[in-house]
Amino acid sequence: MDLLSGTYIFAVLLACVVFQSGAQEKNYTIREEMPENVLIGDLLKDLNLSLIPDKSLTTPMQFKLVYKTGDVPLIRIEEGTGEIFTTGARIDREKLCAGILVDSRCFYEVEVAVLPDEIFRLVKIRFLIEDINDNAPLFPATVINISIPENSAINSRYALPAAIDPDTGINGVQNYQLIKGQSIFGLDVIETPEGEKMPQLIVQKELDREEKDTYVMKVKVEDGGFPQRSSTAILQVSVADTNDNRPVFKENEIEVSIPENAPVGTSVTQLHATDADIGENAKIHFYFSNLVSNIAKRLFHLNSTTGLITIKEPLDREESPNHRLLVLASDGGLMPARAMVLVNVTDINDNVPSIDIRYIINPINGTVVLSENAPLNTKIALITVTDKDADHNGRVSCFTDHEVPFRLRPVFSNQFLLETAAYLDYESTREYAIKLLAADAGKPPLNQSSMLLIKVKDENDNAPVFTQPFISLSVPENNSPGTQLTKISATDADSGRNAEVNYLLGIDAPPEFNLDRRTGILTAVKKLDREKQEKYSFTVLAKDNGMPPLITNATVLVTVLDQNDNSPIFTHNEYNFYVPENLPRHGTVGLITVTDPDYGENSAVTLSILDANDDFTIDPQTGVIRPNISFDREKQESYTFYVKAEDGGRVSRSSTAKVTINVVDVNDNKPVFVVPSSNYSFELVLPSTNPGTVVFTVVAVDNDTGMNAELRYSIVGGNTKGLFMIDQTTGNITLKEKCVVADFGLHRLVVKAKDLGQPDSLFNVINVNLFVNESVTNATLIYELVRRNIETPVTQNIEPADASSPSSDYVKIVVAIVAGTITVVLVIFITAVVRCRQSPHLKNAQKNKQNSEWVTPNPENRQMIMMKKKKKKKKKPAPKNLLLNFVTIEESKADDADNDGNSVTLDLPIELEEQTMGKYNWGTTPTTFKPDSPDLARHYKSASPQPAFQIQPETPLNSKHHIIQELPLDNTFVACDSISKCSSSSSDPYSVSECSYPVTTFKTPVSVHTRPTDSRTSTIEIYSEI
């Protein structure tokens, strides 16, 4: 009875102490792995703080979480409401309680201070961490190998390695399954006295090693959580001869105690096991079970032969106070003996106490700052003293070393509140260094000390005042860094540090300026550039050293004055202009643009050409370049000089740029034949030459460049039998078909070489004489044949004379004259019709061209012969004089049954109006670019005398540019004028060309010749010999 009354009195006294100290405890239960911002509890309601009678509180009720500096709290508390929420830190029960036994409960503790001091409470909150099923059970290995004797009886059991699951309770290992047991084996699960589930393999049928010695199955382990987690391992059973007696431990459970300072190698216990078998089956092997923790395996060593357990590494009771060692003894069989060794590590006083300071008032650089007006009992920090040792070695007391106006008030067994015990006076003592001492009750006792700094803060109530609220000043640009601009000053009515004024630049101040913190001198730390920024407006601050500091601001306006510090700037370091070689003198080459970022006269720029270059002139103001010379690309392709730009500053500045004028080629050179060298040479062709063989190569050159020098070859005359063909690119003349006897003799080919110049191509022709024969026995005779062939129309080959009668020749002449007259009349009529239809279009085109702002090259008028009908006549030799042009009319009737295979060919010698080779007319306005060069027109000013250049996309050719004569399908029109001027395939994408078709008149009579043909055709061929 006395004992009960004493206990009751002690409880009442303890409750009074707790009430007086304002200490409370609260327990919550939370699950691990909870997401962020989950509400756990409400301290205001749970502690019934809302029932506290209203008091005149200096500040609203506040809940402050007290934790060690550097720790990451798992929960947070709303300071105003007391609601407790989870944080982003992961709550992992297996990590928080790693050293606790699996079946033990896991707690997480924090302290919360309830402020202000009028209702102060310190609440210790304990969170019970509930386990969730976040870990799957795992076998120690993915492949489990066991050996079973072949004479194992049915229902024999063999232990399998147990799976490990860090989770607890229902979330731990609950069930094992055997997959693909093949009805030979089964699986059973037994529960050990420690509550662990151990799988056992059951033999369900007799085994015969000679029939099958290996079985492969799978073992699956499952926990009981939701969602359920599982894993599998491969079970490989080997059938072997067995041992029928298992080892037996003398003691199945042993408990020993050993001090934590026991040296390495100290014996913990000696295990004894016996086996009734003899020989190899009686040899016992001791080993730790896989259920033994890794820490225990690291600290202890088990002799596999003797069973002696010794210390392998130094023990630490504070790390793990006890260890469970499950030892297995095996004689090679499948059912080892089990013995549990429980090792308790006893404590010694080897740990000094620790002092943990958790600030309620946040420190500044490790120092707590208190106002000298702080009230009594102001809570400063929660002091927690701990000792890792146990029992009396872990009992710790805490105190200060000298008298200070602060005290330690106990709230829990090992926690104290540091609070003010008297009023503070800044004038008498400005700071305190409190030495906290903690000592344990061990023998001998161990102690620890820690310093806590407290500074007393002076009150501040006056802000600084500027002598000038608005400061305006000017400074020339290009100043030296560090130039002093002005001195700013302000005064403060306070005293001491509260009266000390510091000067600062506002957040809007540019980096070009600096303000001395003490003196207020404003300097320009960088070179100012008016061209980048002319005015700077920013604020300056005057801040005293009070806590909290008081601040006043003023506005500063800095104006930067201009200097001639910038040279003129060209838009390009190097200018490249492209002009045609036929550009007239004093035409416009291009425009150079220069800028100067300075202001006024400093930015007025004058341009000139250096080194007294008389070939070109430049306008000093507009920058227009004009030539004083005529261009000829074949003599000089480019001109280079330098242009100087000089400003109008008092000390002028200048810069130069390189100008390159590239002369663009104009197609003004005809191709020139190199091989053959003349019209009077010949080449021998053997009759045995195979078709496709190159018998001769024509070579021509062109003094122009680019496309103007690229040549195409074609046969435009002769080759009456179609025996030869020419490659248009290489000029190789090849044999088309095998030569026969009728092909022997001299063959004349008129070869044309034309360039691909734009917009007008130029051409030249030459005679290529090929002599088909076995050899050349009389060269003089062949040259005579060549000479005669030159005077013969191109459609005729040198053959034996026809022994026709004079009357037949007379008929041929008459037919030829009639056919020629009809043909000339038709040509004149058709040409006149075409010109009449074309005139309105040409006038409109000319008018549009004059109104166009874009000046384009105008090719010269083209000539085109258009004919509608051709007559069939007999061929007759023409007079032997040098003919400039020939018109050949062919017609045959394939469907005429009476046709004897002969056809009529009419050769009309004509004199065409001379067609001059038109050159590219660039006009008076050059381009400053070539087709594959960059467009420099964007650098030209609108005030320039040169018109703006506008490159228009290529447009489809319309009826204004081409007139197409539609012929019947059974007719073919072939016309060869000066490089086919109206061909749409060679149109210049940078210009618009026009074509005109003058009438061609025929002045000479015609001659008629016969030639074989297979189809009904009407052809007019016109060839020009140069």
Side-chain angles (χ1 to χ4, degrees), residues 636-793:
Q636 186 170 351
E637 294 184 353
S638 64
Y639 298 84
T640 300
F641 54 87
Y642 287 86
V643 174
K644 177 182 178 182
E646 186 174 12
D647 61 26
R650 294 185 59 185
V651 179
S652 63
R653 303 175 70 95
S654 63
S655 58
T656 60
K658 182 179 179 182
V659 177
T660 301
I661 299 176
N662 302 284
V663 182
V664 179
D665 181 48
V666 174
N667 192 21
D668 55 355
N669 291 281
K670 293 181 179 181
V672 177
F673 284 95
V674 178
V675 179
S677 59
S678 71
N679 289 325
Y680 296 94
S681 61
F682 72 92
E683 184 74 16
L684 176 65
V685 178
L686 298 177
S688 60
T689 303
N690 294 324
T693 304
V694 178
V695 298
F696 190 73
T697 300
V698 178
V699 179
V701 295
D702 195 314
N703 289 333
D704 293 320
T705 60
M707 295 297 291
N708 296 333
E710 190 169 343
L711 303 181
R712 295 291 182 268
Y713 300 93
S714 60
I715 298 175
V716 297
N719 198 24
T720 56
K721 296 183 178 182
L723 193 59
F724 302 95
M725 61 184 295
I726 188 169
D727 186 285
Q728 67 170 355
T729 304
T730 63
N732 292 334
I733 299 176
T734 57
L735 187 65
K736 289 179 63 177
E737 56 188 31
K738 191 71 174 179
C739 294
V740 297
V741 176
D743 297 327
F744 280 53
L746 187 62
H747 295 261
R748 176 185 174 191
L749 308 180
V750 180
V751 177
K752 176 181 177 181
K754 75 168 182 178
D755 58 31
L756 300 181
Q758 295 291 340
D760 297 325
S761 62
L762 303 180
F763 71 91
N764 208 342
V765 295
I766 197 168
N767 290 331
V768 177
N769 302 291
L770 302 177
F771 183 62
V772 180
N773 202 10
E774 293 292 346
S775 63
V776 179
T777 57
N778 191 345
T780 303
L781 176 60
I782 297 175
Y783 281 116
E784 178 62 22
L785 291 175
V786 172
R787 186 189 64 78
R788 292 172 56 197
N789 198 18
I790 293 298
E791 301 173 357
T792 305

Side-chain angles (χ1 to χ4, degrees), residues 191-196 253 324 338:
E191 188 170 345
T192 65
E194 295 81 16
E196 298 170 354
E253 189 168 341
R324 297 172 62 186
R338 298 162 50 91

Side-chain angles (χ1 to χ4, degrees), residues 57 121 174 183 202 231-232 276 303 309 324 338 423 506 542 561 579 632 674 680 762 819 863 910 922 927 936 1002 1026:
L57 301 180
R121 280 176 173 76
Q174 297 297 322
S183 72
I202 303 174
S231 64
T232 60
N303 190 303
I309 300 176
R324 297 172 62 186
R338 298 162 50 91
Y423 292 105
L561 304 179
V579 297
D632 187 349
V674 178
Y680 296 94
L762 303 180
Q863 297 181 358
I910 61 175
W922 292 80
T927 61
L936 298 180
F1002 300 87
I1026 305 301

Side-chain angles (χ1 to χ4, degrees), residues 579-584 631-632 663-664 666 919-923:
V579 297
E581 58 183 331
N582 61 353
L583 177 70
F631 296 110
D632 187 349
V663 182
V664 179
V666 174
K919 295 184 178 180
Y920 190 83
N921 182 16
W922 292 80

Side-chain angles (χ1 to χ4, degrees), residues 102 131-133 135-140 160-177 187-192 194-199 219-225 228-231 290-291:
V102 176
D131 181 51
I132 66 170
N133 192 24
N135 293 279
L138 296 175
F139 286 100
L160 298 179
I164 300 174
D165 192 332
D167 295 324
T168 62
I170 193 66
N171 295 329
V173 176
Q174 297 297 322
N175 188 33
Y176 292 88
Q177 295 180 14
L187 189 71
D188 190 18
V189 180
I190 63 172
E191 188 170 345
T192 65
E194 295 81 16
E196 298 170 354
K197 292 180 172 59
M198 301 295 296
V219 180
K220 180 178 181 181
V221 60
E222 299 174 335
D223 59 22
Q228 190 178 57
R229 297 179 180 269
S230 63
S231 64
N290 66 298
L291 297 177

Side-chain angles (χ1 to χ4, degrees), residues 59 334 501 533 592 604 669 882 997:
T59 58
L334 300 177
V501 178
Q533 188 168 347
I592 291 180
N669 291 281
L882 185 59
Y997 307 90

Side-chain angles (χ1 to χ4, degrees), residues 147-454:
S147 180
I148 297 178
E150 61 179 341
N151 61 348
S152 296
I154 296 177
N155 295 326
S156 297
R157 295 172 177 262
Y158 297 93
L160 298 179
I164 300 174
D165 192 332
D167 295 324
T168 62
I170 193 66
N171 295 329
V173 176
Q174 297 297 322
N175 188 33
Y176 292 88
Q177 295 180 14
L178 184 64
I179 303 174
K180 295 182 181 179
Q182 307 173 29
S183 72
I184 304 294
F185 299 96
L187 189 71
D188 190 18
V189 180
I190 63 172
E191 188 170 345
T192 65
E194 295 81 16
E196 298 170 354
K197 292 180 172 59
M198 301 295 296
Q200 290 185 346
L201 188 67
I202 303 174
V203 179
Q204 296 180 344
K205 291 185 179 180
E206 293 183 356
L207 303 177
D208 188 350
R209 189 188 63 80
E210 287 71 25
E211 180 180 344
K212 187 173 183 179
D213 61 353
T214 303
Y215 296 88
V216 179
M217 297 159 283
K218 286 186 178 180
V219 180
K220 180 178 181 181
V221 60
E222 299 174 335
D223 59 22
F226 181 80
Q228 190 178 57
R229 297 179 180 269
S230 63
S231 64
T232 60
I234 297 175
L235 175 61
Q236 184 169 312
V237 179
S238 300
V239 180
D241 292 329
T242 60
N243 187 3
D244 57 350
N245 287 287
R246 53 181 280 187
V248 177
F249 276 103
K250 184 177 181 181
E251 294 177 334
N252 292 331
E253 189 168 341
I254 303 172
E255 183 175 0
V256 295
S257 297
I258 189 166
E260 62 177 328
N261 61 347
V264 174
T266 301
S267 296
V268 177
T269 186
Q270 173 69 59
L271 299 176
H272 299 279
T274 59
D275 194 323
D277 295 325
I278 60 174
E280 292 294 325
N281 293 333
K283 291 183 178 180
I284 300 175
H285 173 73
F286 299 89
Y287 60 95
F288 286 130
S289 168
N290 66 298
L291 297 177
V292 175
S293 66
N294 293 328
I295 297 177
K297 291 179 180 179
R298 176 173 56 86
L299 297 176
F300 300 95
H301 174 263
L302 173 61
N303 190 303
S304 61
T305 304
T306 63
L308 177 65
I309 300 176
T310 57
I311 298 175
K312 187 166 58 173
E313 290 184 12
L315 303 178
D316 188 358
R317 189 205 64 82
E318 288 71 32
E319 179 183 358
S320 184
N322 50 63
H323 302 275
R324 297 172 62 186
L325 308 178
L326 179 60
V327 180
L328 304 179
S330 174
D331 60 353
L334 300 177
M335 294 296 293
R338 298 162 50 91
M340 179 62 69
V341 178
L342 181 61
V343 179
N344 296 316
V345 182
T346 59
D347 181 63
I348 62 169
N349 193 22
D350 59 345
N351 291 279
V352 297
S354 64
I355 300 175
D356 181 22
I357 302 175
R358 302 181 185 182
Y359 292 97
I360 297 175
I361 299 177
N362 294 328
I364 301 175
N365 297 325
T367 302
V368 175
V369 178
L370 282 179
S371 172
E372 60 180 344
N373 295 333
L376 292 176
N377 301 322
T378 298
K379 309 303 183 292
I380 300 172
L382 174 65
I383 311 299
T384 302
V385 290
T386 57
D387 194 322
K388 294 182 180 180
D389 295 323
D391 300 327
H392 62 280
N393 293 332
R395 295 198 193 100
V396 183
S397 58
C398 184
F399 50 90
T400 60
D401 63 337
H402 60 275
E403 192 68 22
V404 290
F406 303 94
R407 65 180 173 222
L408 291 172
R409 183 159 59 89
V411 287
F412 294 109
S413 59
N414 60 341
Q415 290 183 313
F416 305 85
L417 275 174
L418 177 64
E419 58 185 16
T420 56
Y423 292 105
L424 304 178
D425 187 1
Y426 171 82
E427 285 68 27
S428 61
T429 305
R430 298 185 178 184
E431 64 179 22
Y432 297 90
I434 303 175
K435 186 176 183 180
L436 302 176
L437 296 176
D440 62 20
K443 293 183 179 180
L446 300 177
N447 57 69
Q448 180 67 281
S449 64
S450 180
M451 296 297 296
L452 190 148
L453 299 178
I454 298 177

